[in-house]
Amino acid sequence: TGRCLPNFIVLGVQKAGTSTLFQLMRSHPQIIEPEAKELHFFYTSNLVSLCESPMLRPRPEELLAYAHRFPPKAELSNRSLLTGEWSATYLLCWCCPLIFSRVLPRTRLLVQLRDPISRTHARFMEFQAK
């Protein structure tokens, strides 16, 4: 396709630091970010699964559209560069692990978690500020 799929996917939950990790990693000279931090390809920000049934989705044309959101292979192949995706929703999706193992078998999954009490307090403070 001329496009690459992610070398890694950072999975997390809201208020666990995925945005901070995104900022840190994108500043690294060997990381090329996709067109957006959270692509919401497999699971949307509205908590709607896009991968049901996991053995049938994504269809080839959907996977091609996903690949087009990442840099061209030529941009990564000449150097030791990586690209990835950061998501605070994929960890909540029951079918994402099945999809990742089927269509992204070499993609590394990095999971970022946070103490649930601390996370809840941070989320509460975020809503209070609005």
Side-chain angles (χ1 to χ4, degrees), residues 8 25-33 80-84 86:
F8 62 87
M25 289 179 76
R26 72 187 279 218
S27 68
H28 193 283
Q30 290 179 289
I31 302 283
I32 298 181
E33 62 192 278
S80 297
L81 300 177
L82 301 172
T83 189
W86 292 258

Side-chain angles (χ1 to χ4, degrees), residues 113-120:
L113 302 173
R114 182 175 179 179
D115 170 63
I117 304 297
S118 165
R119 181 184 165 278
T120 302

Side-chain angles (χ1 to χ4, degrees), residues 19 64 76 87 111 113 125:
S19 293
L64 183 61
L76 292 145
S87 173
V111 179
L113 302 173
M125 297 306 288

Side-chain angles (χ1 to χ4, degrees), residues 75-119:
E75 192 174 336
L76 292 145
S77 65
N78 297 335
R79 300 171 283 178
S80 297
L81 300 177
L82 301 172
T83 189
E85 182 182 358
W86 292 258
S87 173
T89 60
Y90 293 169
L91 195 61
L92 305 173
C93 177
W94 70 270
C95 57
C96 282
L98 298 170
I99 294 288
F100 296 155
S101 67
R102 188 172 61 80
V103 299
L104 304 170
R106 286 179 268 161
T107 299
R108 303 278 178 147
L109 302 179
L110 297 104
V111 179
Q112 189 163 0
L113 302 173
R114 182 175 179 179
D115 170 63
I117 304 297
S118 165
R119 181 184 165 278

